[in-house]
Amino acid sequence: MFPDFTKYIPLLQTGLDDMKNCLAHLYAEAKATREATQAQQRALAFEFGVVDVQDSARIAPRRLSSLPVIVEAVTDGRAEVDVEALNQGRAVSRGFYANLGDSAFKVTLVGLGGQASTSHTVPPSTTITLTCLISKVIIDAGPDGPATYQLYMQ
């Protein structure tokens, strides 16, 4: 009345063993991929930092459709450039500042919380890349002459 299934049991057992080996291999591949992705995430976070999402109105992702903030000016004294206000209320996270003149000047960067970097000298014909979130740039002319500077920020 019923067919003899005993001849199919070894085939079924072999198929289940093959499936178990295949699933173990797939699990190992998925685990290796996850570990590699986590390593890349740690490396990128170490290189580019992690943005605090609590301050999301001021810290927004860059949009390629948004034009950069470009400021070119000359000052004999102190110039405080509020790049956050120039960037529609968003902090600047990328760009550079350059000395276009013939005399050195000092630059101080101000972060989001108002903390300021140490002042550093920018020699003539020097460009320095920005890699952090800033809200203001302070430029102090040196004793040799006026500061001719350019800010290019996104």
Side-chain angles (χ1 to χ4, degrees):
M1 173 165 197
F2 291 109
D4 185 18
F5 289 114
T6 57
K7 62 181 179 181
Y8 297 112
I9 291 177
L11 292 172
L12 186 60
Q13 186 63 38
T14 304
L16 288 174
D17 289 340
D18 290 344
M19 184 190 260
K20 182 179 175 184
N21 291 338
C22 183
L23 288 175
H25 177 71
L26 287 173
Y27 173 76
E29 287 290 325
K31 183 178 177 185
T33 302
R34 186 184 76 220
E35 289 172 355
T37 302
Q38 289 173 341
Q40 288 177 341
Q41 182 181 14
R42 285 190 303 271
L44 289 172
F46 183 77
E47 178 66 24
F48 297 106
V50 178
V51 175
D52 185 9
V53 296
Q54 295 174 354
D55 200 7
S56 62
R58 294 172 67 194
I59 303 172
R62 276 191 300 276
R63 288 183 223 112
L64 295 178
S65 60
S66 297
L67 296 174
V69 174
I70 303 172
V71 178
E72 287 186 7
V74 178
T75 183
D76 289 330
R78 173 173 270 212
E80 291 190 19
V81 182
D82 188 353
V83 293
E84 186 174 347
L86 294 172
N87 197 27
Q88 301 172 352
R90 292 187 358 222
V92 170
S93 62
R94 180 179 175 185
F96 65 84
Y97 51 96
N99 185 342
L100 303 178
D102 295 328
S103 58
F105 57 81
K106 293 209 176 269
V107 170
T108 306
L109 303 175
V110 179
L112 295 181
Q115 71 277 15
S117 69
T118 57
S119 294
H120 55 281
T121 303
V122 181
S125 303
T126 300
T127 300
I128 299 177
T129 303
L130 285 171
T131 58
C132 59
L133 288 164
I134 62 167
S135 64
K136 192 181 288 187
V137 177
I138 301 171
I139 297 174
D140 292 309
D144 299 336
T148 305
Y149 61 92
Q150 180 185 55
L151 305 172
Y152 179 96
M153 302 179 183
Q154 295 176 314

